[in-house]
Amino acid sequence: MKRHGHGLVLGKFYPPHAGHHHLVETARERCERLTVLVCAASVESVPLADRVAWMREIHPDVTVVGAVDDTHMDVHDPAVWDAHMAVFTAAVPERVDAVFTSEAYGEELGRRFGAESVLVDPDRTLFPVSGTAVRRSPADCWDFLRPPVRAALARRVVVLGAESTGTTTLARALAAHYRARGGVWARTGYVAEYGREYSEHKLAALRRRWPGAAWEDVGFTTDDFPHIATAQNDREEEAARTGSPVLVCDTDSFATTVWHERYVGGRNPLVEEIADRTAHHLWLLTDHEGVPFEDDGLRDGEELRPWMTDRFRAELTRTGRRFIEITGPPEARLTAAVTAVDELLATGWDFAAPLPEKR
């Protein structure tokens, strides 16, 4: 098999899928070195920086560069070709020996680069997927997506509420409901509350020094909460990479901002900054009314439940987060939660249309 010096793969990767990765991997095997050029139009809703980062993570042994290309495609118009080539050669100025595509325009692209054109699986027989199909329904194409793209597209649903209001019970039941749907949904992830694990460790450490210590003897400082928020985000990201199109979270870093008020008082700007680093899509606020308070050894705030419910509601509203309140017995709560999540999924992913193409 002929090997080339410098190969080039270019595309929108909006978003990248298995067909793209097969193209890149095939080109990499046939070249001494390979450049992948990610071209994004300003009207598209996935940032160029994200696409470049995804491709670099997935293909660490190639050079990935990005460029903004706001010219529509018309393979029959020489002036349009000239405009595209100005973008391509500015981004990749060195000599290109071979261009790899799955498109009929590959031959003209190769001619304009003065390079050999190599066509790879033009009929999409190995990976029957396209960017258009992914944008139309990511859930239907989920198995064609790699972990960083799944993490970016997963709909993250957060169950949060005051102490002993059934948040963990509801979150686990909600995840189990979607797993029971089978198929791609069988991988629906559940992310436990890291703050509880952290609290257990603090209590255990205190008891090693003072065996008679109880939960009310544990103290928190403002510095505990950025750590809790960061760890919660990290665990969500890990779960989203391997899960289904929906991820169920038992609290999140946003909730940590209110727990900071509860245990320390006031706000911590760093926690709020951390909370804004991860995109979530729906919050389910569990009401305290009608839920008996159960002291499991890490709770002491029964009288604070109404205040916390009010604070969660106020902060969700103030920050413009999409949420519903969950009330009633457990069966009614799960039904309401499933209805809300299904409505979220039904709204789709809102990809902006790419620039028009004429081939």
Tab-separated table of all heavy atoms in Angstrom, residues 58-110:
chain	number	residue	atom	x	y	z
A	58	ILE	N	-9.374	12.392	20.555
A	58	ILE	CA	-9.649	11.113	19.918
A	58	ILE	C	-8.489	10.660	19.038
A	58	ILE	O	-8.211	9.460	18.923
A	58	ILE	CB	-10.959	11.204	19.107
A	58	ILE	CG1	-12.143	11.470	20.052
A	58	ILE	CG2	-11.208	9.930	18.296
A	58	ILE	CD1	-13.407	11.913	19.343
A	59	HIS	N	-7.772	11.615	18.442
A	59	HIS	CA	-6.664	11.293	17.535
A	59	HIS	C	-5.389	11.999	18.002
A	59	HIS	O	-4.928	12.968	17.380
A	59	HIS	CB	-7.019	11.708	16.106
A	59	HIS	CG	-8.286	11.099	15.598
A	59	HIS	ND1	-8.369	9.783	15.187
A	59	HIS	CD2	-9.530	11.624	15.458
A	59	HIS	CE1	-9.606	9.522	14.800
A	59	HIS	NE2	-10.331	10.612	14.957
A	60	PRO	N	-4.807	11.541	19.087
A	60	PRO	CA	-3.659	12.256	19.653
A	60	PRO	C	-2.395	12.181	18.805
A	60	PRO	O	-1.449	12.933	19.047
A	60	PRO	CB	-3.455	11.560	21.010
A	60	PRO	CG	-4.024	10.187	20.814
A	60	PRO	CD	-5.189	10.370	19.888
A	61	ASP	N	-2.367	11.290	17.809
A	61	ASP	CA	-1.156	11.128	17.007
A	61	ASP	C	-1.207	11.894	15.690
A	61	ASP	O	-0.391	11.661	14.795
A	61	ASP	CB	-0.899	9.644	16.730
A	61	ASP	CG	-2.060	8.958	16.019
A	61	ASP	OD1	-3.170	9.531	16.016
A	61	ASP	OD2	-1.861	7.851	15.487
A	62	VAL	N	-2.189	12.819	15.551
A	62	VAL	CA	-2.251	13.652	14.349
A	62	VAL	C	-2.259	15.115	14.773
A	62	VAL	O	-2.523	15.440	15.935
A	62	VAL	CB	-3.492	13.328	13.485
A	62	VAL	CG1	-3.589	11.832	13.205
A	62	VAL	CG2	-4.774	13.830	14.139
A	63	THR	N	-1.993	15.989	13.822
A	63	THR	CA	-2.072	17.426	14.074
A	63	THR	C	-3.472	17.902	13.718
A	63	THR	O	-3.945	17.682	12.597
A	63	THR	CB	-1.039	18.183	13.226
A	63	THR	OG1	0.269	17.739	13.592
A	63	THR	CG2	-1.148	19.686	13.447
A	64	VAL	N	-4.143	18.522	14.658
A	64	VAL	CA	-5.497	19.028	14.431
A	64	VAL	C	-5.473	20.544	14.537
A	64	VAL	O	-5.015	21.102	15.542
A	64	VAL	CB	-6.501	18.449	15.443
A	64	VAL	CG1	-7.909	18.978	15.152
A	64	VAL	CG2	-6.493	16.924	15.400
A	65	VAL	N	-5.941	21.214	13.486
A	65	VAL	CA	-6.023	22.672	13.477
A	65	VAL	C	-7.451	23.064	13.110
A	65	VAL	O	-8.203	22.276	12.545
A	65	VAL	CB	-5.020	23.304	12.489
A	65	VAL	CG1	-3.597	23.003	12.912
A	65	VAL	CG2	-5.270	22.801	11.072
A	66	GLY	N	-7.819	24.277	13.445
A	66	GLY	CA	-9.173	24.750	13.168
A	66	GLY	C	-9.168	26.048	12.390
A	66	GLY	O	-8.209	26.824	12.458
A	67	ALA	N	-10.249	26.279	11.657
A	67	ALA	CA	-10.400	27.524	10.901
A	67	ALA	C	-11.877	27.839	10.757
A	67	ALA	O	-12.719	26.936	10.673
A	67	ALA	CB	-9.756	27.404	9.524
A	68	VAL	N	-12.197	29.121	10.738
A	68	VAL	CA	-13.563	29.565	10.460
A	68	VAL	C	-13.716	29.713	8.954
A	68	VAL	O	-12.913	30.395	8.303
A	68	VAL	CB	-13.875	30.893	11.169
A	68	VAL	CG1	-15.261	31.408	10.763
A	68	VAL	CG2	-13.783	30.723	12.676
A	69	ASP	N	-14.727	29.055	8.411
A	69	ASP	CA	-14.988	29.116	6.970
A	69	ASP	C	-16.459	29.466	6.782
A	69	ASP	O	-17.334	28.620	6.934
A	69	ASP	CB	-14.665	27.770	6.321
A	69	ASP	CG	-14.763	27.820	4.799
A	69	ASP	OD1	-15.216	28.855	4.270
A	69	ASP	OD2	-14.395	26.827	4.141
A	70	ASP	N	-16.730	30.720	6.454
A	70	ASP	CA	-18.104	31.192	6.326
A	70	ASP	C	-18.576	31.274	4.871
A	70	ASP	O	-19.548	31.975	4.574
A	70	ASP	CB	-18.246	32.563	6.999
A	70	ASP	CG	-18.310	32.454	8.512
A	70	ASP	OD1	-18.847	31.438	9.005
A	70	ASP	OD2	-17.827	33.368	9.199
A	71	THR	N	-17.918	30.536	4.002
A	71	THR	CA	-18.351	30.463	2.604
A	71	THR	C	-19.189	29.210	2.407
A	71	THR	O	-18.778	28.116	2.812
A	71	THR	CB	-17.142	30.421	1.654
A	71	THR	OG1	-16.348	31.593	1.852
A	71	THR	CG2	-17.592	30.345	0.201
A	72	HIS	N	-20.358	29.334	1.808
A	72	HIS	CA	-21.188	28.164	1.537
A	72	HIS	C	-20.476	27.271	0.525
A	72	HIS	O	-19.528	27.689	-0.148
A	72	HIS	CB	-22.557	28.582	1.005
A	72	HIS	CG	-22.512	29.125	-0.395
A	72	HIS	ND1	-22.092	30.405	-0.669
A	72	HIS	CD2	-22.806	28.549	-1.594
A	72	HIS	CE1	-22.135	30.607	-1.978
A	72	HIS	NE2	-22.562	29.498	-2.560
A	73	MET	N	-20.941	26.041	0.401
A	73	MET	CA	-20.310	25.124	-0.538
A	73	MET	C	-21.074	25.092	-1.858
A	73	MET	O	-22.295	24.954	-1.884
A	73	MET	CB	-20.241	23.703	0.042
A	73	MET	CG	-19.664	22.680	-0.943
A	73	MET	SD	-19.576	21.013	-0.284
A	73	MET	CE	-18.159	21.188	0.791
A	74	ASP	N	-20.339	25.204	-2.938
A	74	ASP	CA	-20.874	25.000	-4.285
A	74	ASP	C	-19.727	24.447	-5.116
A	74	ASP	O	-18.848	25.185	-5.577
A	74	ASP	CB	-21.401	26.309	-4.883
A	74	ASP	CG	-22.076	26.103	-6.238
A	74	ASP	OD1	-21.874	25.026	-6.844
A	74	ASP	OD2	-22.789	27.019	-6.684
A	75	VAL	N	-19.707	23.140	-5.306
A	75	VAL	CA	-18.571	22.500	-5.969
A	75	VAL	C	-18.491	22.845	-7.448
A	75	VAL	O	-17.495	22.524	-8.107
A	75	VAL	CB	-18.639	20.962	-5.793
A	75	VAL	CG1	-18.543	20.578	-4.330
A	75	VAL	CG2	-19.905	20.391	-6.419
A	76	HIS	N	-19.514	23.525	-7.984
A	76	HIS	CA	-19.517	23.887	-9.403
A	76	HIS	C	-19.068	25.332	-9.654
A	76	HIS	O	-19.023	25.754	-10.795
A	76	HIS	CB	-20.920	23.689	-9.984
A	76	HIS	CG	-21.468	22.312	-9.752
A	76	HIS	ND1	-20.960	21.196	-10.367
A	76	HIS	CD2	-22.471	21.878	-8.955
A	76	HIS	CE1	-21.629	20.125	-9.972
A	76	HIS	NE2	-22.544	20.509	-9.109
A	77	ASP	N	-18.766	26.049	-8.595
A	77	ASP	CA	-18.432	27.472	-8.721
A	77	ASP	C	-16.951	27.682	-8.407
A	77	ASP	O	-16.532	27.565	-7.243
A	77	ASP	CB	-19.306	28.287	-7.761
A	77	ASP	CG	-19.167	29.786	-7.962
A	77	ASP	OD1	-18.093	30.220	-8.421
A	77	ASP	OD2	-20.123	30.511	-7.647
A	78	PRO	N	-16.134	28.027	-9.400
A	78	PRO	CA	-14.697	28.225	-9.157
A	78	PRO	C	-14.409	29.315	-8.130
A	78	PRO	O	-13.444	29.208	-7.361
A	78	PRO	CB	-14.155	28.608	-10.540
A	78	PRO	CG	-15.141	28.018	-11.509
A	78	PRO	CD	-16.480	28.127	-10.832
A	79	ALA	N	-15.232	30.354	-8.107
A	79	ALA	CA	-14.999	31.438	-7.140
A	79	ALA	C	-15.211	30.946	-5.711
A	79	ALA	O	-14.496	31.358	-4.782
A	79	ALA	CB	-15.919	32.615	-7.438
A	80	VAL	N	-16.200	30.071	-5.517
A	80	VAL	CA	-16.434	29.486	-4.195
A	80	VAL	C	-15.261	28.597	-3.803
A	80	VAL	O	-14.774	28.633	-2.661
A	80	VAL	CB	-17.761	28.701	-4.181
A	80	VAL	CG1	-17.889	27.894	-2.893
A	80	VAL	CG2	-18.939	29.659	-4.317
A	81	TRP	N	-14.762	27.816	-4.761
A	81	TRP	CA	-13.583	27.002	-4.499
A	81	TRP	C	-12.399	27.888	-4.084
A	81	TRP	O	-11.678	27.559	-3.127
A	81	TRP	CB	-13.206	26.207	-5.753
A	81	TRP	CG	-13.798	24.833	-5.810
A	81	TRP	CD1	-14.787	24.385	-6.619
A	81	TRP	CD2	-13.399	23.708	-5.010
A	81	TRP	NE1	-15.053	23.062	-6.392
A	81	TRP	CE2	-14.200	22.612	-5.401
A	81	TRP	CE3	-12.450	23.506	-4.015
A	81	TRP	CZ2	-14.086	21.349	-4.833
A	81	TRP	CZ3	-12.324	22.250	-3.436
A	81	TRP	CH2	-13.140	21.186	-3.840
A	82	ASP	N	-12.207	28.972	-4.769
A	82	ASP	CA	-11.098	29.867	-4.435
A	82	ASP	C	-11.214	30.385	-3.004
A	82	ASP	O	-10.210	30.480	-2.271
A	82	ASP	CB	-11.062	31.053	-5.402
A	82	ASP	CG	-10.651	30.655	-6.816
A	82	ASP	OD1	-10.108	29.548	-6.990
A	82	ASP	OD2	-10.900	31.459	-7.749
A	83	ALA	N	-12.446	30.728	-2.607
A	83	ALA	CA	-12.658	31.244	-1.250
A	83	ALA	C	-12.346	30.168	-0.205
A	83	ALA	O	-11.711	30.446	0.827
A	83	ALA	CB	-14.095	31.746	-1.102
A	84	HIS	N	-12.802	28.946	-0.466
A	84	HIS	CA	-12.494	27.858	0.467
A	84	HIS	C	-10.987	27.598	0.526
A	84	HIS	O	-10.421	27.437	1.618
A	84	HIS	CB	-13.212	26.571	0.033
A	84	HIS	CG	-14.672	26.555	0.332
A	84	HIS	ND1	-15.177	26.709	1.601
A	84	HIS	CD2	-15.752	26.382	-0.479
A	84	HIS	CE1	-16.503	26.637	1.562
A	84	HIS	NE2	-16.874	26.440	0.306
A	85	MET	N	-10.351	27.558	-0.622
A	85	MET	CA	-8.921	27.247	-0.647
A	85	MET	C	-8.095	28.307	0.078
A	85	MET	O	-7.062	27.994	0.677
A	85	MET	CB	-8.445	27.098	-2.090
A	85	MET	CG	-8.931	25.829	-2.777
A	85	MET	SD	-8.443	24.297	-1.909
A	85	MET	CE	-6.656	24.428	-1.946
A	86	ALA	N	-8.560	29.550	0.059
A	86	ALA	CA	-7.858	30.595	0.804
A	86	ALA	C	-7.864	30.280	2.297
A	86	ALA	O	-6.863	30.489	3.004
A	86	ALA	CB	-8.500	31.957	0.535
A	87	VAL	N	-8.993	29.770	2.787
A	87	VAL	CA	-9.092	29.370	4.199
A	87	VAL	C	-8.219	28.147	4.459
A	87	VAL	O	-7.457	28.095	5.441
A	87	VAL	CB	-10.559	29.071	4.573
A	87	VAL	CG1	-10.652	28.489	5.991
A	87	VAL	CG2	-11.406	30.326	4.463
A	88	PHE	N	-8.324	27.141	3.582
A	88	PHE	CA	-7.596	25.892	3.792
A	88	PHE	C	-6.084	26.116	3.807
A	88	PHE	O	-5.382	25.614	4.698
A	88	PHE	CB	-7.936	24.878	2.691
A	88	PHE	CG	-9.397	24.521	2.590
A	88	PHE	CD1	-9.900	23.953	1.415
A	88	PHE	CD2	-10.275	24.738	3.638
A	88	PHE	CE1	-11.233	23.611	1.299
A	88	PHE	CE2	-11.622	24.408	3.536
A	88	PHE	CZ	-12.100	23.847	2.355
A	89	THR	N	-5.587	26.853	2.842
A	89	THR	CA	-4.133	27.020	2.742
A	89	THR	C	-3.574	27.969	3.802
A	89	THR	O	-2.407	27.866	4.184
A	89	THR	CB	-3.742	27.514	1.336
A	89	THR	OG1	-4.468	28.720	1.033
A	89	THR	CG2	-4.059	26.460	0.284
A	90	ALA	N	-4.414	28.874	4.282
A	90	ALA	CA	-3.971	29.717	5.405
A	90	ALA	C	-3.814	28.882	6.669
A	90	ALA	O	-2.896	29.096	7.473
A	90	ALA	CB	-4.960	30.852	5.633
A	91	ALA	N	-4.706	27.905	6.845
A	91	ALA	CA	-4.660	27.050	8.032
A	91	ALA	C	-3.590	25.970	7.909
A	91	ALA	O	-2.986	25.558	8.906
A	91	ALA	CB	-6.027	26.407	8.267
A	92	VAL	N	-3.369	25.500	6.684
A	92	VAL	CA	-2.385	24.439	6.434
A	92	VAL	C	-1.453	24.927	5.313
A	92	VAL	O	-1.635	24.574	4.141
A	92	VAL	CB	-3.072	23.116	6.035
A	92	VAL	CG1	-2.049	21.979	5.940
A	92	VAL	CG2	-4.170	22.749	7.039
A	93	PRO	N	-0.470	25.741	5.635
A	93	PRO	CA	0.356	26.363	4.586
A	93	PRO	C	1.415	25.436	3.989
A	93	PRO	O	1.912	25.703	2.897
A	93	PRO	CB	1.006	27.543	5.312
A	93	PRO	CG	1.036	27.125	6.743
A	93	PRO	CD	-0.187	26.304	6.969
A	94	GLU	N	1.772	24.351	4.687
A	94	GLU	CA	2.828	23.493	4.173
A	94	GLU	C	2.310	22.592	3.039
A	94	GLU	O	1.105	22.432	2.849
A	94	GLU	CB	3.437	22.642	5.294
A	94	GLU	CG	2.458	21.712	5.981
A	94	GLU	CD	1.837	22.302	7.225
A	94	GLU	OE1	1.443	23.493	7.192
A	94	GLU	OE2	1.722	21.573	8.220
A	95	ARG	N	3.214	22.003	2.318
A	95	ARG	CA	2.860	21.154	1.197
A	95	ARG	C	2.038	19.952	1.667
A	95	ARG	O	2.336	19.344	2.699
A	95	ARG	CB	4.112	20.660	0.472
A	95	ARG	CG	3.813	19.639	-0.628
A	95	ARG	CD	5.059	19.180	-1.367
A	95	ARG	NE	4.739	18.065	-2.245
A	95	ARG	CZ	4.136	18.188	-3.428
A	95	ARG	NH1	3.784	19.404	-3.865
A	95	ARG	NH2	3.856	17.132	-4.178
A	96	VAL	N	1.009	19.604	0.891
A	96	VAL	CA	0.170	18.440	1.157
A	96	VAL	C	0.386	17.442	0.029
A	96	VAL	O	0.283	17.787	-1.157
A	96	VAL	CB	-1.323	18.836	1.240
A	96	VAL	CG1	-2.202	17.601	1.340
A	96	VAL	CG2	-1.558	19.770	2.424
A	97	ASP	N	0.689	16.206	0.363
A	97	ASP	CA	0.949	15.172	-0.637
A	97	ASP	C	-0.292	14.365	-0.992
A	97	ASP	O	-0.384	13.822	-2.099
A	97	ASP	CB	2.037	14.218	-0.127
A	97	ASP	CG	3.330	14.949	0.178
A	97	ASP	OD1	3.848	15.622	-0.730
A	97	ASP	OD2	3.809	14.854	1.325
A	98	ALA	N	-1.251	14.266	-0.051
A	98	ALA	CA	-2.463	13.495	-0.322
A	98	ALA	C	-3.607	14.053	0.516
A	98	ALA	O	-3.415	14.410	1.690
A	98	ALA	CB	-2.250	12.013	0.006
A	99	VAL	N	-4.785	14.149	-0.094
A	99	VAL	CA	-5.981	14.525	0.644
A	99	VAL	C	-6.897	13.308	0.681
A	99	VAL	O	-7.084	12.615	-0.329
A	99	VAL	CB	-6.702	15.741	0.015
A	99	VAL	CG1	-5.846	16.978	0.134
A	99	VAL	CG2	-7.072	15.481	-1.417
A	100	PHE	N	-7.455	13.057	1.853
A	100	PHE	CA	-8.320	11.905	2.063
A	100	PHE	C	-9.737	12.401	2.309
A	100	PHE	O	-9.963	13.227	3.212
A	100	PHE	CB	-7.843	11.093	3.264
A	100	PHE	CG	-6.524	10.402	3.050
A	100	PHE	CD1	-5.334	11.122	3.105
A	100	PHE	CD2	-6.470	9.048	2.785
A	100	PHE	CE1	-4.112	10.497	2.901
A	100	PHE	CE2	-5.254	8.410	2.582
A	100	PHE	CZ	-4.077	9.134	2.649
A	101	THR	N	-10.690	11.925	1.539
A	101	THR	CA	-12.091	12.307	1.706
A	101	THR	C	-12.973	11.097	1.443
A	101	THR	O	-12.525	10.053	0.959
A	101	THR	CB	-12.509	13.429	0.731
A	101	THR	OG1	-12.642	12.878	-0.578
A	101	THR	CG2	-11.515	14.578	0.710
A	102	SER	N	-14.240	11.261	1.760
A	102	SER	CA	-15.272	10.289	1.384
A	102	SER	C	-16.252	10.920	0.409
A	102	SER	O	-17.367	10.423	0.237
A	102	SER	CB	-16.011	9.802	2.635
A	102	SER	OG	-15.132	9.147	3.521
A	103	GLU	N	-15.836	12.030	-0.196
A	103	GLU	CA	-16.736	12.829	-1.020
A	103	GLU	C	-16.268	12.887	-2.471
A	103	GLU	O	-15.075	12.794	-2.764
A	103	GLU	CB	-16.803	14.265	-0.467
A	103	GLU	CG	-17.170	14.364	0.997
A	103	GLU	CD	-18.638	14.083	1.258
A	103	GLU	OE1	-19.399	13.944	0.279
A	103	GLU	OE2	-19.019	14.013	2.437
A	104	ALA	N	-17.233	13.093	-3.367
A	104	ALA	CA	-16.920	13.180	-4.792
A	104	ALA	C	-16.042	14.386	-5.116
A	104	ALA	O	-15.311	14.377	-6.108
A	104	ALA	CB	-18.214	13.233	-5.602
A	105	TYR	N	-16.105	15.418	-4.271
A	105	TYR	CA	-15.296	16.603	-4.552
A	105	TYR	C	-13.821	16.399	-4.207
A	105	TYR	O	-12.992	17.282	-4.394
A	105	TYR	CB	-15.830	17.831	-3.821
A	105	TYR	CG	-15.833	17.740	-2.308
A	105	TYR	CD1	-14.643	17.762	-1.576
A	105	TYR	CD2	-17.027	17.672	-1.596
A	105	TYR	CE1	-14.633	17.698	-0.194
A	105	TYR	CE2	-17.039	17.612	-0.208
A	105	TYR	CZ	-15.837	17.620	0.488
A	105	TYR	OH	-15.830	17.556	1.843
A	106	GLY	N	-13.476	15.228	-3.691
A	106	GLY	CA	-12.105	14.969	-3.275
A	106	GLY	C	-11.093	15.129	-4.388
A	106	GLY	O	-9.977	15.606	-4.166
A	107	GLU	N	-11.480	14.749	-5.622
A	107	GLU	CA	-10.541	14.850	-6.736
A	107	GLU	C	-10.183	16.306	-7.028
A	107	GLU	O	-9.010	16.641	-7.240
A	107	GLU	CB	-11.142	14.197	-7.981
A	107	GLU	CG	-10.156	14.086	-9.126
A	107	GLU	CD	-10.651	13.170	-10.234
A	107	GLU	OE1	-11.565	12.362	-9.979
A	107	GLU	OE2	-10.114	13.286	-11.354
A	108	GLU	N	-11.197	17.195	-7.026
A	108	GLU	CA	-10.916	18.614	-7.255
A	108	GLU	C	-10.118	19.202	-6.092
A	108	GLU	O	-9.216	20.028	-6.296
A	108	GLU	CB	-12.219	19.376	-7.444
A	108	GLU	CG	-12.075	20.884	-7.601
A	108	GLU	CD	-11.318	21.288	-8.871
A	108	GLU	OE1	-11.108	20.431	-9.752
A	108	GLU	OE2	-10.937	22.473	-8.966
A	109	LEU	N	-10.418	18.766	-4.886
A	109	LEU	CA	-9.670	19.242	-3.726
A	109	LEU	C	-8.199	18.851	-3.850
A	109	LEU	O	-7.299	19.666	-3.605
A	109	LEU	CB	-10.273	18.669	-2.442
A	109	LEU	CG	-9.658	19.132	-1.119
A	109	LEU	CD1	-9.872	20.620	-0.916
A	109	LEU	CD2	-10.262	18.338	0.048
A	110	GLY	N	-7.974	17.605	-4.242
A	110	GLY	CA	-6.605	17.164	-4.424
A	110	GLY	C	-5.896	17.954	-5.519
A	110	GLY	O	-4.727	18.341	-5.370
